[in-house]
Amino acid sequence: MIKKGTLFSGIIGGLCLGMAVASASLLPVHAAEEEDHTAGVSMGKEADEEISTYARARVEAGWKLDAKGWWYQDEDGGWAQRAWRQIDGKWYYFASDGYWREDADAHENTLKGIDVSEWQVDIDWNAVKQDGYDFAIIRGGYSYTDPKTGKYEHVVDEYFEQNMAGANAAGIPVGVYIYSKATNEAQAVEDAKFLIEESTGYLVSYPLVIDMEDSSQVNLGKTALGKIAKAFSDEVKSAGYTPMIYTNENWYKNVVDMSYVSDVEHWVAAYGIEPDDSIPRGIWQCSSTGRVKGIDGNVDINFGYKDYTTIVTPRTEPAAGYGKPAADGEWRIDGGGWWYHCYDGTYPKNEWKEINGQTYRFDGNGYMLTGWQYIENEWYYMNSSGARLSGCWLELGGVWYYLKEDGKMAVGWQLVGNTWYYMYPSGMMATGWVQVGDAWYYMYPSGAMATGWLLDGTTWYYMDPSGWMRTGWVLVGDTWYYMYPSGMMATGWALVGDTWYYLTPGNGAMATGWLLLGNTWYYLTPGNGAMVTGTQVIDGVEYTFFSDGRCDW
C-alpha cells in the first residue's frame, strides 16, 4: 500500500502551509471570489500539479487507509482537507492534514445546503436535489463603486437567472445574496433594492442576504458597518422578504457591530470541525471545498439550524405597496368635508395630490372633491372616497364612460386594449350606427367597433378593417361584392351606372361567366361581371344577347 505519510509528506507539508496562509486571511470564501476567484480551489500551482499527476497515475478515487488513518481520494486527483464531505449519504470531516476526524459530529439533525455563483457553471439542479441538499443560496450579483465616475453600480451574476430557474424547477428552496461593497447606508439600501428587483419573478423561500466581508469595508468601523447591515435589512423587510447577514466569525465578533441587527437572521462562515457556539447563527458555512453531484469542482457547503421555509413567507414579488412613498400627512374632516393635513402644517388646495397610491383633487378651500369635475378644460371623475378614476370604464345611470390613464374623460375615438370605441362629445360611449365626419361606423352593444361583415337585422354590411362602412364595389378575398350607397349588400340584379351585374342571392358574390336563371341564359363578363348584350364570341362561338341580357338561342 502506498503510505501517504511517507511518499506524500512533502506534498502534505506544502498543502498545510497553504492552508495556514489561507486561514490567516480576513477574506472568507465570497470575498476571495471577488478578489482572485480562487477560494477553496488551489493551494498553489506546483503542488496542485504534483498532487494531480501522482494521484491520477497511481491512486483510484475512494476511501484510503494508511498508517495515520483514513482519508478520501477525490475523483479529480485531490483529497478532502479541512473540509466536510458527504460520502455515500453520510457526512465526514477531514482535518487540514487530510485525515478523517472520527470525533467529528456528523450533524445529522441539520439541513444541508449550498451557496453558488457564476464560478459554478451549468449546475444540474435535479442532481443536486437527488444528492440530498435541502436549500441553496444563489448569488444575485455584486456591487462596486466605479473608480472613474464615482457611481455605485450593480452587476447581475452571469448564471443568476439560470440558477434560479433551475433550482425552482427542481423544487429546491432558495435564498439570494449580494456580494456588497457598500460603504454607507444609502448604498446598502441600493443593494437591497437591486436584490429585490432581481429576485422578482422567482420563488424565494429563504432569506435575502447581504454578504459583508470586502476588504474595502474593514476600516469603516464597527458602528458604520452595523448601520449598513441594518439599512439593508430594513429595506428587505419593507418589501416583505426576510433579511439575513453573512459574515465570517472574525467579522461577526470584531468588525461589525451586530447589535444593530440582533433581530436579523445570521449566516456565519467558519471552516473547521465545529463553529464557535457563542455566535448565534441560522446557517453555518462550514466548507468551501465541498463536492456535490451536478456541480463540477468545489462548492460551499452549509449546515442549516433553521428550516427557513417555515419562517420565510415565500414570495415571487415584493409585498403590495412596496416602493410607494410613505404618507406625509393624515386625513381630517370638519363641517366643510374631508381635507388633508400635511405634517409640515400645510394642506393641498386647488391641486392634485397623490396619497397612498391614489390621486385626489382639492378645491380652493382645501376640501376633497367627488363626482364629475371640470378642471382645466377636461372632465375627471372622483369616486365617493375622492379617488380619481383612471384607465377604467365607468357606468352611471346606464351610460358608459371611459377614463383615460391620466384620468381625463375620453371623447372621440378611444383604443382600449386592442378594441376601438367611440365616445360622444358628452363622453357617452356610442352603440349602433354612428356617423363620424363623412363615414358611418357600427358599434356593437358592448361599444366595440365592428369590422368585416356585419349583419344588422336581415341586412349585410361590410365594414372596412379601419371600421368605416364600405359602399360601391368591395373586394373581399378573391370575391367582388356591391354595396349600395346605404351600405346594404346588393343581391340579384343590380344596375351600376349603365351596366347590369348579378350578385348571388344569399352571399352577395358577383357572378361571372354563364348564368342560368329559370330557363334563361345570361353571360357575365369574366373578370368584371358586366352583363353582355349584343353579339359576343364566347369560346369561339358567336352568340346574340338581347338588350335585357337574355341569350337568343
Side-chain angles (χ1 to χ4, degrees):
M1 174 181 289
I2 297 174
K3 298 295 184 181
K4 182 180 176 188
T6 56
L7 293 179
F8 282 64
S9 61
I11 299 173
I12 291 296
L15 289 172
C16 290
L17 176 60
M19 291 300 294
V21 172
S23 64
S25 172
L26 285 177
L27 297 176
V29 63
H30 295 152
E33 287 180 355
E34 295 303 322
E35 295 299 321
D36 60 15
H37 315 311
T38 58
V41 175
S42 175
M43 299 301 170
K45 184 175 183 296
E46 294 179 359
D48 280 352
E49 290 177 350
E50 186 175 357
I51 293 169
S52 179
T53 301
Y54 189 90
R56 291 177 191 277
R58 303 289 183 88
V59 182
E60 295 181 359
W63 283 102
K64 308 296 177 182
L65 177 65
D66 62 22
K68 289 188 176 182
W70 287 97
W71 54 286
Y72 192 81
Q73 178 76 60
D74 290 328
E75 293 180 356
D76 61 4
W79 54 77
Q81 292 176 284
R82 198 180 176 221
W84 285 92
R85 290 289 175 83
Q86 180 183 213
I87 303 171
D88 298 328
K90 294 185 178 181
W91 286 89
Y92 302 86
Y93 179 73
F94 297 88
S96 58
D97 60 5
Y99 288 98
W100 169 44
R101 286 283 298 272
E102 297 184 50
D103 59 335
D105 180 358
H107 295 275
E108 294 179 352
N109 295 323
T110 61
L111 298 172
K112 306 304 187 295
I114 59 173
D115 60 272
V116 298
S117 67
E118 61 193 33
W119 307 115
Q120 289 80 35
V121 301
D122 295 328
I123 295 173
D124 181 344
W125 285 99
N126 288 319
V128 173
K129 176 76 170 179
Q130 292 169 7
D131 205 19
Y133 287 89
D134 304 296
F135 66 91
I137 302 181
I138 295 170
R139 188 174 77 160
Y142 60 91
S143 56
Y144 71 99
T145 299
D146 189 314
K148 293 182 179 179
T149 65
K151 186 178 179 181
Y152 195 60
E153 303 281 5
H154 292 88
V155 178
V156 179
D157 186 280
E158 182 180 351
Y159 279 82
F160 173 69
E161 293 182 1
Q162 180 176 320
N163 283 333
M164 290 296 286
N168 277 178
I172 299 175
V174 296
V176 185
Y177 80 89
I178 179 172
Y179 183 89
S180 173
K181 292 188 179 182
T183 57
N184 56 56
E185 294 165 69
Q187 290 177 348
V189 171
E190 289 185 45
D191 285 347
K193 290 180 177 179
F194 166 79
L195 213 55
I196 292 164
E197 181 179 355
E198 292 304 316
S199 299
T200 299
Y202 299 103
L203 179 61
V204 176
S205 51
Y206 257 61
L208 297 187
V209 187
I210 183 171
D211 177 353
M212 300 182 67
E213 55 176 311
D214 193 74
S215 58
S216 64
Q217 300 169 317
V218 173
N219 295 324
L220 295 175
K222 294 183 68 173
T223 298
L225 286 170
K227 290 181 177 180
I228 286 172
K230 184 178 188 307
F232 172 88
S233 300
D234 289 347
E235 185 68 20
V236 168
K237 287 179 183 177
S238 72
Y241 291 93
T242 299
M244 175 177 269
I245 312 300
Y246 170 92
T247 60
N248 59 38
E249 289 186 345
N250 176 54
W251 274 57
Y252 188 98
K253 289 181 175 181
N254 305 311
V255 182
V256 183
D257 186 346
M258 289 295 178
S259 66
Y260 284 94
V261 284
S262 59
D263 61 339
V264 174
E265 299 297 326
H266 295 280
W267 174 21
V268 184
Y271 303 155
I273 191 169
E274 289 292 341
D276 183 341
D277 60 11
S278 70
I279 297 177
R281 71 191 86 197
I283 300 175
W284 169 31
Q285 187 187 71
C286 61
S287 176
S288 64
T289 56
R291 299 300 170 91
V292 177
K293 292 179 181 178
I295 302 177
D296 292 334
N298 292 327
V299 61
D300 294 342
I301 300 298
N302 298 273
F303 290 167
Y305 300 106
K306 296 181 180 180
D307 182 359
Y308 284 100
T309 63
T310 66
I311 300 171
V312 171
T313 300
R315 291 195 172 280
T316 57
E317 61 183 4
Y322 172 71
K324 295 181 179 178
D328 60 352
E330 60 186 9
W331 286 101
R332 294 184 179 181
I333 189 171
D334 59 24
W338 285 97
W339 57 287
Y340 193 76
H341 170 72
C342 297
Y343 292 140
D344 62 4
T346 63
Y347 58 91
K349 55 183 179 180
N350 269 337
E351 63 180 289
W352 296 102
K353 183 171 179 61
E354 185 172 341
I355 302 170
N356 295 329
Q358 300 289 343
T359 302
Y360 299 84
R361 180 72 185 191
F362 297 87
D363 67 15
N365 295 315
Y367 290 106
M368 180 190 78
L369 297 173
T370 61
W372 286 111
Q373 300 295 331
Y374 192 63
I375 301 168
E376 297 177 352
N377 300 317
E378 298 286 351
W379 283 100
Y380 300 85
Y381 188 84
M382 272 60 76
N383 64 20
S384 58
S385 69
R388 185 185 72 191
L389 300 186
S390 61
C392 65
W393 289 98
L394 169 67
E395 189 268 332
L396 294 173
V399 176
W400 286 94
Y401 302 84
Y402 187 76
L403 289 311
K404 296 188 288 186
E405 293 297 329
D406 59 3
K408 296 175 182 177
M409 181 189 76
V411 295
W413 288 108
Q414 182 67 37
L415 181 64
V416 181
N418 296 316
T419 303
W420 283 99
Y421 300 83
Y422 186 77
M423 320 304 289
Y424 289 116
S426 66
M428 180 178 72
M429 181 188 77
T431 59
W433 287 103
V434 179
Q435 185 176 17
V436 182
D438 295 328
W440 283 93
Y441 299 82
Y442 186 84
M443 320 306 289
Y444 289 115
S446 66
M449 181 187 77
T451 60
W453 287 108
L454 167 69
L455 180 63
D456 184 21
T458 59
T459 303
W460 284 98
Y461 300 83
Y462 188 78
M463 316 306 290
D464 190 80
S466 62
W468 54 278
M469 182 189 76
R470 296 290 300 271
T471 60
W473 288 107
V474 177
L475 180 64
V476 181
D478 296 325
T479 303
W480 284 96
Y481 301 84
Y482 185 76
M483 321 305 289
Y484 289 117
S486 66
M488 180 178 71
M489 181 187 76
T491 60
W493 288 107
L495 180 63
V496 181
D498 297 327
T499 304
W500 284 95
Y501 299 85
Y502 190 79
L503 293 309
T504 307
N507 64 21
M510 182 188 77
T512 60
W514 286 105
L515 171 67
L516 178 63
L517 296 178
N519 296 318
T520 303
W521 284 95
Y522 300 83
Y523 190 76
L524 305 165
T525 306
N528 65 21
M531 184 188 75
V532 172
T533 60
T535 301
Q536 182 77 28
V537 177
I538 302 171
D539 296 330
V541 179
E542 184 177 281
Y543 298 88
T544 300
F545 297 88
F546 295 111
S547 60
D548 61 2
R550 290 177 297 117
C551 180
D552 181 12
W553 290 100

